[in-house]
Amino acid sequence: MLFVIRESKLKRPLINLQIFRVKNFVIGLLLLFTFYIFKGSTGLAYGYLEVILGNDPLNTIPIWIAVIAGTVSSMFIISLFVLLGFNLIRIIIVGFCCMALYYTYMISLFRYREKPLTSFCLCLSTV
């Protein structure tokens, strides 16, 4: 809060706070926030695979490689769509829908646990 007050009183602020009045900038920040919420849950999925289900971390590496390969390939595909003149808003909406379908699939995979959750708690208490 002190930063906002200080920046609003400076002649040459570090961050021009007027940018938050631009609708597209705020929507972009919200989309970025939503994206990182989704991406943060990938770490939870890896933790669940390794700790709860007891998978070896070396067996999780192919999943990491698949996620990285998907991210890199999607960057090239989307850049091609943008260069061809496709509507950017539609690309973003389709991308978020695909990400929602992926995470719905991931949640359905982890719905039923092999071990009860108490084994996870006992495992942490013995460390």
Side-chain angles (χ1 to χ4, degrees):
M1 190 64 173
L2 293 174
F3 177 78
V4 173
I5 294 171
R6 181 179 180 274
E7 290 296 304
S8 63
K9 292 184 180 188
L10 287 177
K11 182 177 179 182
R12 292 187 200 118
L14 182 63
I15 297 173
N16 186 357
L17 300 176
Q18 302 297 321
I19 192 74
F20 289 100
R21 292 184 181 172
V22 178
K23 179 183 169 187
N24 287 340
F25 180 77
V26 174
I27 291 173
L29 282 180
L30 291 174
L31 287 173
L32 188 67
F33 177 74
T34 306
F35 174 73
Y36 279 105
I37 294 271
F38 279 129
K39 288 303 284 178
S41 63
T42 336
L44 295 174
Y46 297 148
Y48 181 83
L49 283 171
E50 293 172 6
V51 176
I52 303 293
L53 297 180
N55 287 351
D56 185 32
L58 293 177
N59 293 335
T60 311
I61 291 174
I63 299 172
W64 295 346
I65 292 172
V67 169
I68 291 169
T71 303
V72 170
S73 63
S74 67
M75 287 186 330
F76 287 113
I77 292 169
I78 295 304
S79 63
L80 177 67
F81 284 154
V82 169
L83 290 174
L84 290 175
F86 282 82
N87 187 351
L88 191 59
I89 300 298
R90 287 186 182 158
I91 293 173
I92 291 171
I93 290 171
V94 169
F96 271 93
C97 288
C98 289
M99 199 165 35
L101 287 173
Y102 169 73
Y103 281 100
T104 303
Y105 173 70
M106 291 295 285
I107 288 170
S108 70
L109 279 179
F110 298 142
R111 185 177 303 159
Y112 302 106
R113 295 187 281 272
E114 287 183 14
K115 301 176 186 177
L117 191 58
T118 56
S119 66
F120 175 69
C121 298
L122 291 175
C123 183
L124 287 179
S125 65
T126 59
V127 172

